[in-house]
Amino acid sequence: MKVPFVFAHPDKNSFNHSLLDAAIKRLESQGNEVKVSDLYRMKFKTTVDEDDFLNHENGTRLKVAQASYNATEAHQLTDDVVAEQEKLKWADTVIFQFPIWWFSMPAILKGWFDRVFSCGFAYGVGIHDETHYGDRYGEGVMEGRRAFCIVTTGGSSDHYSQRGINGPIDDILFPINHNMLFYPGFSVLPPVVTFRADSRREEVYANAEKAVLERMDNLATVEPIHYRRQNFGDYKIPEMTLKEGLEQPDQTHFDIHIKRD
Amino acid sequence: MKVPFVFAHPDKNSFNHSLLDAAIKRLESQGNEVKVSDLYRMKFKTTVDEDDFLNHENGTRLKVAQASYNATEAHQLTDDVVAEQEKLKWADTVIFQFPIWWFSMPAILKGWFDRVFSCGFAYGVGIHDETHYGDRYGEGVMEGRRAFCIVTTGGSSDHYSQRGINGPIDDILFPINHNMLFYPGFSVLPPVVTFRADSRREEVYANAEKAVLERMDNLATVEPIHYRRQNFGDYKIPEMTLKEGLEQPDQTHFDIHIKRD
């Protein structure tokens, strides 16, 4: 299996980097091919600006989606972005690993998505008609590939439980799992989450590594989250609202977009 | 009133920048003091790394929260971060303005939060005992100040409605409004949202400007979102789970953290 990691932590001796090293070792020992985009070590450019679009005339009005589309179509994206897109197309399973900072991903990883998920590549693709609203949410360039997140948090699992003050971890990660990964067509596996990663207790790392290695052993067989695909009858087009009555009675908010039957 | 903007769009001729200019003009015409952190124009450093903490020995293990705390306590944060923190302390109302990219803020703004909301400033403050779990979620350095977001999206309001495929806009913004702004003590006003900002229809801009100017006229009187304060009896400590029975029967997921009675 071909497995790229997109990794975002500044310290090569971190809890996260140790998990990464253990995961790579396990994958390679089983004959998988691994590539790592260690964004800090690469000094990956974090901000979208006019320099990202080689056919954009500097100083003129920058409509980001349009400029991104024009550059994608004309093969005028920068080399660093193209290299990442190629890694994604090479992949069978993509792993995003990061510490949760302020309830989302570190800026350097957000910048990776802002730049690499260009218009005409990850969004703004496919036909729009009465039965099909673009290739997205279950279709698109990443269709047939798997992806998931390995994350750490400072807070405890209680704080991220159904009634926890931070909000449920599945809801905190929904904008990533559903809206960034399922959107361009990935099958999204449940995240591997380590809570209280800063607690300094040795068993926290041991348990995290165990969970990560178990996932590495089961990349091909873990059941994806059953997000509803957009263009297969569950949603009104072009409103893109879920048709009434499809969800279970106890499903609300983000949860209605997961098929449970 | 003292009003800093934290603004994140790369193009000074953008829809967003036009809204910003209109807002500033209105505020200043009414005698308010405005400061703008135009993050792209400032080339604001986007990524957290060891260079952010002047008393951190480069090359040694970087535990980000701990290093951030040590630097905050010892006044060893970098000048750019300190300047932003000073702006926040000067403020009566802070406005965050950005286009929604991949269902969250642009990386440059996420980097602003990752760096400016340092440990010992915006989190990791206050006592932790049986009745008080740190100064957060309604208490903290920003207590007594207001904040809100002005955002644009490419998608339509239907796509962000209660049954919309992107998820409800209030849920998409909850990790920002509740977990990043309410967390250090801001009173958080409802966001000003413009949908379909890329549609090129003139009335979209006109309506957006009208909504923004109306908000500028009412900064002091708009009712904040009634998020539940953490340390005032609604949550179990240290689990930080909402006590049973406090929410309305139709409230679930993120919504239970909003008081409605």
Side-chain angles (χ1 to χ4, degrees):
Chain A
M1 192 177 268
K2 295 178 174 113
V3 186
F5 282 79
V6 184
F7 178 82
H9 194 289
D11 182 7
K12 66 182 190 308
N13 297 310
S14 62
F15 187 107
N16 265 290
H17 215 297
S18 298
L19 288 181
L20 174 68
D21 292 342
I24 293 170
K25 191 174 162 191
R26 176 66 65 102
L27 286 173
E28 291 184 338
S29 76
Q30 297 177 340
N32 300 288
E33 292 178 72
V34 177
K35 294 184 181 181
V36 179
S37 293
D38 182 340
L39 301 185
Y40 271 96
R41 201 170 300 189
M42 297 159 76
K43 300 187 192 298
F44 196 79
K45 178 173 180 283
T46 299
T47 52
V48 171
D49 59 31
E50 60 186 5
D51 294 338
D52 288 340
F53 314 117
L54 302 176
N55 55 347
H56 177 79
E57 191 182 341
N58 276 11
T60 64
R61 175 83 185 267
L62 181 66
K63 293 194 175 208
V64 173
Q66 186 64 52
S68 176
Y69 182 81
N70 293 346
T72 302
E73 286 292 297
H75 304 287
Q76 294 290 311
L77 293 168
T78 56
D79 288 347
D80 60 343
V81 165
V82 171
E84 295 302 300
Q85 292 182 345
E86 291 301 321
K87 256 178 236 173
L88 294 175
K89 289 189 283 191
W90 168 84
D92 298 305
T93 299
V94 184
I95 302 176
F96 296 90
Q97 191 187 345
F98 55 96
I100 292 182
W101 289 350
W102 287 105
F103 305 96
S104 185
M105 56 184 66
I108 198 170
L109 179 56
K110 180 56 166 56
W112 184 95
F113 279 102
D114 288 347
R115 297 182 63 233
V116 174
F117 273 25
S118 69
C119 189
F121 178 76
Y123 71 107
V125 290
I127 55 166
H128 288 68
D129 64 20
E130 284 163 26
T131 62
H132 190 98
Y133 193 86
D135 297 343
R136 58 176 214 167
Y137 289 121
E139 296 173 278
V141 67
M142 291 298 123
E143 200 175 344
R145 294 172 178 81
R146 307 183 137 216
F148 67 97
C149 297
I150 298 176
V151 299
T152 57
T153 80
S156 74
S157 58
D158 283 337
H159 300 184
Y160 286 97
S161 66
Q162 205 56 39
R163 301 181 68 80
I165 195 165
N166 295 343
I169 188 70
D170 286 343
D171 289 341
I172 291 291
L173 294 176
F174 181 91
I176 298 171
N177 285 330
H178 181 264
N179 293 8
M180 296 169 81
L181 300 181
F182 185 60
Y183 190 107
F186 279 118
S187 295
V188 183
L189 309 188
V192 180
V193 182
T194 299
F195 297 99
R196 301 218 46 166
D198 286 336
S199 71
R200 301 173 190 214
R201 286 178 294 139
E202 278 187 23
E203 76 263 27
V204 175
Y205 181 79
N207 290 337
E209 186 178 287
K210 190 177 162 210
V212 166
L213 294 182
E214 187 180 321
R215 174 59 62 91
M216 295 307 118
D217 292 341
N218 297 298
L219 288 185
T221 54
V222 169
E223 190 76 6
I225 302 170
H226 289 187
Y227 292 129
R228 298 172 183 279
R229 301 176 78 199
Q230 177 186 266
N231 294 314
F232 295 81
D234 287 356
Y235 294 90
K236 294 180 198 164
I237 295 176
E239 297 88 343
M240 308 322 307
T241 49
L242 184 68
K243 291 176 181 171
E244 296 292 334
L246 293 182
E247 73 276 25
Q248 297 295 318
D250 65 321
Q251 289 187 292
T252 56
H253 292 266
F254 291 150
D255 205 30
I256 65 174
H257 303 292
I258 299 176
K259 203 164 185 170
R260 270 213 334 251
D261 51 15
Chain B
M1 193 177 268
K2 294 176 176 119
V3 186
F5 282 78
V6 184
F7 178 82
H9 194 289
D11 183 5
K12 66 183 190 307
N13 296 310
S14 62
F15 188 108
N16 265 290
H17 215 297
S18 298
L19 288 181
L20 174 68
D21 292 342
I24 293 170
K25 191 174 162 191
R26 176 66 66 100
L27 286 173
E28 291 185 337
S29 76
Q30 297 176 340
N32 301 286
E33 290 178 73
V34 177
K35 292 184 182 181
V36 179
S37 293
D38 182 340
L39 301 185
Y40 271 95
R41 201 169 300 190
M42 296 159 77
K43 300 186 192 298
F44 196 79
K45 179 173 180 283
T46 299
T47 51
V48 172
D49 59 30
E50 59 186 5
D51 294 337
D52 288 340
F53 313 118
L54 302 176
N55 55 347
H56 178 79
E57 190 182 340
N58 276 12
T60 64
R61 175 82 185 265
L62 181 67
K63 293 195 174 208
V64 173
Q66 186 64 53
S68 176
Y69 183 80
N70 293 346
T72 302
E73 287 291 295
H75 304 289
Q76 294 289 311
L77 293 168
T78 57
D79 288 348
D80 61 342
V81 165
V82 171
E84 293 303 299
Q85 292 181 344
E86 292 301 321
K87 256 178 235 173
L88 294 174
K89 289 190 280 191
W90 168 84
D92 297 305
T93 298
V94 183
I95 302 176
F96 296 90
Q97 191 187 345
F98 55 97
I100 292 181
W101 288 351
W102 287 106
F103 306 96
S104 185
M105 56 184 67
I108 198 170
L109 179 55
K110 180 55 165 54
W112 184 95
F113 279 102
D114 288 347
R115 297 182 64 233
V116 175
F117 273 25
S118 70
C119 188
F121 177 76
Y123 71 107
V125 290
I127 56 166
H128 288 69
D129 63 21
E130 284 163 26
T131 62
H132 190 98
Y133 193 86
D135 297 343
R136 58 175 214 168
Y137 289 121
E139 296 174 278
V141 66
M142 290 299 123
E143 201 175 343
R145 295 173 179 81
R146 307 184 136 216
F148 66 97
C149 298
I150 297 176
V151 299
T152 56
T153 81
S156 73
S157 58
D158 282 337
H159 300 185
Y160 287 97
S161 66
Q162 204 57 38
R163 301 182 68 81
I165 195 165
N166 295 343
I169 188 70
D170 286 342
D171 290 341
I172 291 291
L173 295 177
F174 182 90
I176 299 172
N177 285 329
H178 181 262
N179 294 8
M180 297 169 81
L181 300 182
F182 186 60
Y183 190 107
F186 278 118
S187 295
V188 183
L189 309 188
V192 180
V193 182
T194 299
F195 297 99
R196 300 217 46 166
D198 287 336
S199 70
R200 300 171 191 216
R201 286 178 295 138
E202 279 187 21
E203 75 263 28
V204 175
Y205 182 79
N207 289 338
E209 186 178 286
K210 190 176 163 212
V212 165
L213 295 182
E214 187 180 321
R215 174 59 62 90
M216 295 306 118
D217 291 343
N218 298 297
L219 289 185
T221 55
V222 168
E223 191 76 5
I225 302 170
H226 290 187
Y227 291 129
R228 297 173 183 279
R229 301 177 78 200
Q230 176 187 265
N231 294 313
F232 294 82
D234 287 355
Y235 294 90
K236 294 180 198 165
I237 297 175
E239 297 88 343
M240 310 319 310
T241 49
L242 184 67
K243 291 176 181 171
E244 296 291 335
L246 292 183
E247 74 274 26
Q248 297 295 319
D250 66 321
Q251 290 188 293
T252 57
H253 292 266
F254 291 151
D255 206 30
I256 65 174
H257 304 290
I258 299 175
K259 203 164 185 169
R260 269 211 337 247
D261 51 14

